[in-house]
Amino acid sequence: MDNDLLGGIYTFLTFLGILGGGFFLVYGLWEVAVKRFLSEAQELEERSLIKALRKVILRKLAVINRRFIWPKYEKRISRRTMNAGGLDGLTAEEFMALQEVACVGFLVFGAVMINFMRGSMGMDLGWSWLVAFALLGVFYPEIWLRDQVVKRHFKITRELPYNLDLLTLSVEAGLDFQAAVDTVVKKGRQGPLTGEFALMLREMRMGKTRQEALRGISERVGLAPLSSFVSALIQADRMGTSLGKVLRIQSTQLRIERTQRAEKLANEAPVKMLFPLIACIFPTVFLVLFAPIIFQFVFGNIGG
């Protein structure tokens, strides 16, 4: 009885020790890590707590990544982030942290999928699939960043002809270049392009020359039609050519390029429709037309 009593007391004390240790561990993590994360997230003034926590985590990892990042990677990511519109100040270190988090997430997801495939479906999947999932996690942020750049370029391409026409009309009406750009910012089609024009105006008011401000737009956007337009304006400014004529020529050229691009997409449409026609529509049409005939031929002969 005494041994049983002592064993029960030891078991109870062990349980209390484990419970107390777990409590203090959770409390320590709350005070040291979670509470600090929450306070930093609130300082970011984000509406979504999840977005704020994501920024805090990326910043923590970015401090560590600063030691290992290499110049070419930093330059490439910084340029793409700038072309995508800044992405709320996303740095190369934070982007590397995003790749690390995505790698871990895809790795966990791949492990769960492989375990499910092996256990429930009996499929023979090697652990090399984990490497594939990890690589997908590393490259997925790159794909996402490239997609953000493409979306922004598409918006600027749609806005450019209209805003350039408005800029041309404003200059031909007698306004100087800075006032004409201000008119485009206030009355033009709102989007990334007008935002870039507004930033260019602020730079000019802070003391930059027109050429420097125009080069800044070309570097931040990285879009070929806009870079060509900027180069023409800089050349006209150097040569003393009439700005209205240059803008009119550029506007006409952009309209022609837009029409050619639309014609190209229209010519590509029939080719792109071949696969859905052959794979989806034609089999359905053949099934509707010939299924009754085949059914009558087979079952009619059996009945006869």
Side-chain angles (χ1 to χ4, degrees), residues 273-290:
M273 290 175 62
L274 282 177
F275 178 76
L277 280 173
I278 296 173
C280 302
I281 298 177
F282 284 169
T284 307
V285 173
F286 292 151
L287 184 64
V288 172
L289 291 177
F290 296 107

Side-chain angles (χ1 to χ4, degrees), residues 98-107 132-142:
L98 184 63
Q99 287 182 303
E100 293 166 354
V101 172
C103 179
V104 174
F106 274 82
L107 193 61
F133 275 102
L135 291 176
L136 181 60
V138 171
F139 287 107
Y140 181 77
E142 293 269 1

Side-chain angles (χ1 to χ4, degrees), residues 87-120:
L87 300 177
D88 296 330
L90 184 68
T91 63
E93 295 86 356
E94 292 175 348
F95 185 81
M96 181 179 285
L98 184 63
Q99 287 182 303
E100 293 166 354
V101 172
C103 179
V104 174
F106 274 82
L107 193 61
V108 173
F109 176 76
V112 173
M113 288 295 297
I114 289 174
N115 187 40
F116 174 76
M117 294 291 185
R118 284 179 172 176
S120 300

Side-chain angles (χ1 to χ4, degrees), residues 7-48:
I9 293 173
Y10 288 150
T11 303
F12 179 70
L13 291 177
T14 304
F15 172 74
L16 286 180
I18 295 173
L19 184 63
F23 171 77
F24 285 111
L25 177 62
V26 173
Y27 180 77
L29 289 175
W30 171 263
E31 289 292 332
V32 174
V34 179
K35 201 170 183 179
R36 184 180 300 176
F37 275 0
L38 290 174
S39 62
E40 292 182 7
Q42 291 176 355
E43 291 176 0
L44 292 175
E45 297 181 355
E46 285 281 352
R47 293 183 179 180
S48 174

Side-chain angles (χ1 to χ4, degrees), residues 2-299:
D2 293 338
N3 292 333
D4 293 340
L5 180 61
L6 288 175
I9 293 173
Y10 288 150
T11 303
F12 179 70
L13 291 177
T14 304
F15 172 74
L16 286 180
I18 295 173
L19 184 63
F23 171 77
F24 285 111
L25 177 62
V26 173
Y27 180 77
L29 289 175
W30 171 263
E31 289 292 332
V32 174
V34 179
K35 201 170 183 179
R36 184 180 300 176
F37 275 0
L38 290 174
S39 62
E40 292 182 7
Q42 291 176 355
E43 291 176 0
L44 292 175
E45 297 181 355
E46 285 281 352
R47 293 183 179 180
S48 174
L49 182 62
I50 297 177
K51 290 183 179 180
L53 286 175
R54 183 184 62 190
K55 286 187 177 181
V56 172
I57 294 172
L58 291 182
R59 287 182 180 179
K60 295 293 182 182
L61 292 174
V63 176
I64 303 174
N65 292 335
R66 179 71 263 179
R67 305 174 184 177
F68 306 104
I69 197 168
W70 55 96
K72 288 185 178 180
Y73 176 86
E74 184 177 10
K75 184 178 180 181
R76 178 172 59 87
I77 297 301
S78 299
R79 185 179 67 252
R80 288 188 179 181
T81 305
M82 182 174 57
N83 293 340
L87 300 177
D88 296 330
L90 184 68
T91 63
E93 295 86 356
E94 292 175 348
F95 185 81
M96 181 179 285
L98 184 63
Q99 287 182 303
E100 293 166 354
V101 172
C103 179
V104 174
F106 274 82
L107 193 61
V108 173
F109 176 76
V112 173
M113 288 295 297
I114 289 174
N115 187 40
F116 174 76
M117 294 291 185
R118 284 179 172 176
S120 300
M121 304 183 68
M123 296 180 66
D124 186 16
L125 295 178
W127 291 104
S128 58
W129 283 91
L130 282 179
V131 179
F133 275 102
L135 291 176
L136 181 60
V138 171
F139 287 107
Y140 181 77
E142 293 269 1
I143 298 171
W144 170 78
L145 182 58
R146 189 180 298 110
D147 186 59
Q148 297 301 312
V149 175
V150 170
K151 286 182 180 179
R152 191 166 188 262
H153 282 179
F154 178 74
K155 291 180 181 178
I156 292 176
T157 304
R158 294 290 300 271
E159 297 171 23
L160 188 57
Y162 177 84
N163 288 331
L164 185 54
D165 285 343
L166 182 58
L167 182 64
T168 304
L169 291 174
S170 300
V171 171
E172 290 178 346
L175 295 177
D176 63 343
F177 181 75
Q178 190 168 345
V181 173
D182 187 57
T183 302
V184 173
V185 171
K186 293 178 180 178
K187 299 181 180 180
R189 184 172 293 174
Q190 298 301 313
L193 183 59
T194 52
E196 290 292 338
F197 280 155
L199 181 57
M200 183 186 71
L201 282 178
R202 288 196 295 269
E203 290 179 346
M204 292 173 65
R205 289 165 183 166
M206 290 175 62
K208 281 190 175 183
T209 63
R210 184 192 302 176
Q211 295 182 12
E212 291 174 345
L214 286 171
R215 286 197 189 96
I217 284 186
S218 179
E219 292 175 359
R220 286 192 301 270
V221 176
L223 183 62
L226 185 61
S227 298
S228 176
F229 164 69
V230 167
S231 299
L233 288 183
I234 292 175
Q235 189 69 19
D237 196 17
R238 287 178 178 175
M239 302 296 294
T241 310
S242 174
L243 196 59
K245 292 182 180 179
V246 174
L247 288 173
R248 177 60 63 185
I249 293 172
Q250 290 295 316
S251 177
T252 304
Q253 183 66 26
L254 280 176
R255 292 288 180 185
I256 293 173
E257 290 178 358
R258 187 174 183 180
T259 303
Q260 292 175 348
R261 188 165 54 251
E263 291 177 351
K264 178 183 177 183
L265 292 175
N267 292 330
E268 291 176 354
V271 179
K272 294 179 179 179
M273 290 175 62
L274 282 177
F275 178 76
L277 280 173
I278 296 173
C280 302
I281 298 177
F282 284 169
T284 307
V285 173
F286 292 151
L287 184 64
V288 172
L289 291 177
F290 296 107
I293 300 174
I294 296 173
F295 181 84
Q296 182 68 29
F297 177 76
V298 173
F299 292 97

